[in-house]
Amino acid sequence: MTEPSERKEQPTHPSEPPRRRRAHTRSRDLERYADLFARRTQVMRSSAMRDLMAITARPEVISLAGGLPDTSTFPADSFAAQMTRIAHESSAEALQYGPTEGFEETKACILEVMGAEGMAPDPEDLIVTTGGQQAIDLIAKTLVNPGDPVICEAPTYPGAVPAFCSYEADIHQVSTDDEGMRIDELEDLLAALATAGRRPKFIYSVPSFQNPAGVTMSEERRRRLVELAREHEVLICEDNPYGLLRYEGDPQPTLYSLDGGDYVLYLGTLSKILSPGIRIGWVAAPPPVLEKIGLGKQAADLCTSTLTQYFVREYFAEGRWREYIDDLIGIYRARRDAMLDALAANFPEQAEWTHPEGGLFVWATLPDYIDTTDLLAKALRENVAFVPGRAAYVDGRGGSSMRLNFSASAEEELAEGIRRIGSVVSEQVALYETITGEHPTKSGSSRPGPDEEEEPGGEVVPLPKR
Ligand SMILES: Cc1ncc(COP(=O)(O)O)c(C=O)c1O
């Protein structure tokens, strides 16, 4: 493409050829390229967390916005020894392309991880992916035509929304409560879609320590979900990055183990139990589905990083991977407790939050009149960040909720971060109460203000329903 506005600039040395300087204003002009974009780019959306990462990278900001594991806990000596061994013993192979489905040795490590949660798939049913995120993208690429219904939880993993939108899925969200996805609501939705002659392509769920809500699906609901998938012949996409990070309570069976691998596509990742930088995830799926996913992966990136697959092989051979997870569990449990204590101490009584038994997140919900997207701007002025709840919905819900991450900050930082958010929340509550004269309580009823007398039979204005 010729660049009419390119100008020749004088060389700084007579022996240098004239340099071309690009006219940045033209190349940044959207209209120039607008007609070239595919239709799907109109529905592509950015992940709220990715947008926030630039702001929260500032050292003065306490970020409760990321979903980052604390990689500083990984022993540097062990990392150095493994990489050195690879360099000396397998340099040529580790720097080469690898098979699209991943190395057998990587699959053996994945089998160990899945075995720890009671699953034993055939290695032939596995494909290694570039993180769990690629697995989500490949599943959507394989199954979704524009307009196809896809069902997920409300709230759902904010990073899944852009992937489903890219393939123009018609996303339906089913509410969650303390026991995970509301199966009664799911049944109604499946029935309504069936009546309309529409078959959802899959039900996407993060059943354990969900991102973003931190809740875990009860065993009863898991069993019913798997039954429903069979009855309606709908696939389930079980995304389980956090299952091994349990801080209390008893493990729940995975959907994959309950189903036996007919209707459940299982997504795993080493991001939260080893490192997200190595980008190693996987899918376990029935062979016909896996074959198509493999074709999609060939087109996307040929193969997952060979070098990091070699690292994984070395790391698992050392035999300490379970111990490292135990270390993480100890650290994250203390951080979760620090966050829950800080919430109780600093958030007003009108707020509610989840009590996660594992994973990395707490989900807090404020009174309806507080919009957490607006609140984030105020929080950033206090150098603290969270993910506003709307990022986890496709329909504008979640406006008064926020996702809070506790894995990436030390306990004192968590306490200070929650104190700062608590103070901006309290300001908003006080402002609302001053303007309206209302003093709503958590239950939605109103208590009189300090200067008001409680009149028997006086009008009670309930908080709007969340
Ligand atoms: C539920 C869920 N799925 C998938 C991912 C993507 O993880 P990765 O691509 O690092 O494996 C994440 C990351 O936070 C997640 O929370």
Side-chain angles (χ1 to χ4, degrees):
M1 202 191 295
T2 52
E3 178 56 84
S5 53
E6 268 178 353
R7 272 183 283 137
K8 292 205 175 124
E9 214 180 57
Q10 285 308 310
T12 48
H13 188 274
S15 64
E16 279 182 30
R19 280 177 294 153
R20 285 172 184 275
R21 198 174 65 183
R22 288 178 60 79
H24 284 291
T25 44
R26 298 292 315 274
S27 64
R28 279 166 172 66
D29 187 355
L30 175 68
E31 273 172 33
R32 195 169 207 220
Y33 309 100
D35 288 346
L36 300 173
F37 292 132
R39 201 185 60 198
R40 77 182 73 88
T41 61
Q42 291 167 11
V43 285
M44 281 180 176
R45 20 195 284 183
S46 171
S47 152
M49 296 108 57
R50 296 273 116 199
D51 291 347
L52 272 171
M53 264 178 117
I55 305 171
T56 57
R58 297 198 321 247
E60 66 276 19
V61 175
I62 298 178
S63 178
L64 311 180
L68 312 185
D70 188 344
T71 41
S72 73
T73 58
F74 190 80
D77 290 350
S78 167
F79 183 51
Q82 282 137 11
M83 293 311 272
T84 307
R85 199 157 45 241
I86 292 167
H88 287 308
E89 293 171 15
S90 332
S91 165
E93 300 89 332
L95 296 176
Q96 193 50 272
Y97 291 112
T100 300
E101 68 277 12
F103 289 115
E104 288 309 315
E105 291 84 349
T106 316
K107 291 187 183 183
C109 303
I110 290 169
L111 287 179
E112 281 191 52
V113 175
M114 290 183 75
E117 286 197 83
M119 295 170 280
D122 186 326
E124 293 284 300
D125 294 357
L126 292 176
I127 185 166
V128 181
T129 57
T130 301
Q133 189 65 34
Q134 187 185 48
I136 298 174
D137 184 76
L138 290 176
I139 284 172
K141 186 181 190 178
T142 303
L143 297 169
V144 177
N145 285 320
D148 277 349
V150 162
I151 299 175
C152 58
E153 287 146 347
T156 190
Y157 164 49
V161 173
F164 299 155
C165 286
S166 300
Y167 296 100
E168 303 175 58
D170 174 23
I171 304 172
H172 296 257
Q173 291 191 276
V174 174
S175 311
T176 49
D177 60 21
D178 287 349
E179 286 184 58
M181 187 189 272
R182 290 261 314 270
I183 303 296
D184 54 337
E185 215 179 275
L186 174 68
E187 287 195 64
D188 291 347
L189 175 62
L190 287 171
L193 286 170
T195 308
R198 303 181 73 203
R199 181 181 174 198
K201 283 297 173 70
F202 56 85
I203 302 165
Y204 171 79
S205 171
V206 184
S208 294
F209 323 127
Q210 199 230 23
N211 178 1
V215 296
T216 294
M217 195 183 287
S218 63
E219 183 171 343
E220 198 187 325
R221 288 198 189 172
R222 286 173 193 245
R223 290 189 183 280
R224 186 66 194 127
L225 175 57
V226 168
E227 268 169 28
L228 276 174
R230 288 181 172 269
E231 280 167 26
H232 288 262
E233 297 194 316
V234 174
L235 294 173
I236 295 173
C237 180
E238 175 179 30
D239 190 3
N240 188 27
Y242 308 104
L244 289 174
L245 294 175
R246 177 175 275 284
Y247 317 134
E248 65 181 61
D250 297 325
Q252 299 287 354
T254 60
L255 301 172
Y256 186 81
S257 52
L258 291 173
D259 164 69
D262 291 334
Y263 284 93
V264 176
L265 315 179
Y266 182 88
L267 277 59
T269 175
L270 297 182
S271 284
K272 309 301 159 117
I273 55 170
L274 171 53
S275 147
I278 60 172
R279 311 304 303 131
I280 299 285
W282 67 92
V283 180
V289 181
L290 206 68
E291 196 188 315
K292 299 287 185 206
I293 292 174
L295 295 176
K297 182 166 168 70
Q298 275 180 32
D301 66 356
L302 304 179
C303 65
T304 298
S305 164
T306 319
L307 182 58
T308 60
Q309 287 190 71
Y310 265 77
F311 166 63
V312 166
R313 180 191 298 193
E314 290 294 329
Y315 174 68
F316 275 73
E318 217 179 46
R320 273 204 73 246
W321 70 273
R322 290 300 293 266
E323 277 171 55
Y324 181 55
I325 296 178
D326 288 343
D327 294 347
L328 288 176
I329 287 174
I331 295 166
Y332 293 163
R333 183 193 289 119
R335 291 182 181 178
R336 176 204 60 172
D337 292 345
M339 179 173 274
L340 292 175
D341 289 348
L343 282 164
N346 294 284
F347 267 38
E349 62 164 340
Q350 293 88 344
E352 299 175 343
W353 53 89
T354 54
H355 181 108
E357 291 187 334
L360 312 186
F361 307 104
V362 171
W363 180 253
T365 300
L366 308 173
D368 269 24
Y369 56 81
I370 298 183
D371 184 311
T372 51
T373 307
D374 296 343
L375 194 79
L376 177 63
K378 295 184 176 68
L380 284 171
R381 281 205 288 275
E382 302 299 320
N383 286 326
V384 61
F386 54 80
V387 175
R390 277 205 194 91
Y393 292 82
V394 289
D395 55 10
R397 280 185 287 167
S400 59
S401 297
M402 62 173 77
R403 189 190 75 174
L404 299 164
N405 167 263
F406 55 79
S407 57
S409 314
E411 284 149 56
E412 317 78 64
E413 261 184 338
L414 289 169
E416 176 58 17
I418 294 294
R419 190 196 63 72
R420 291 183 198 174
I421 300 173
S423 102
V424 287
V425 172
S426 298
E427 262 172 43
Q428 296 301 298
V429 171
L431 191 66
Y432 176 86
E433 294 188 353
T434 307
I435 293 170
T436 61
E438 290 296 319
H439 296 272
T441 61
K442 197 183 265 183
S443 62
S445 63
S446 233
R447 62 181 157 76
D451 306 330
E452 297 168 40
E453 273 189 33
E454 197 164 5
E455 279 180 26
E459 197 188 354
V460 173
V461 183
L463 269 180
K465 251 179 104 60
R466 288 194 195 117

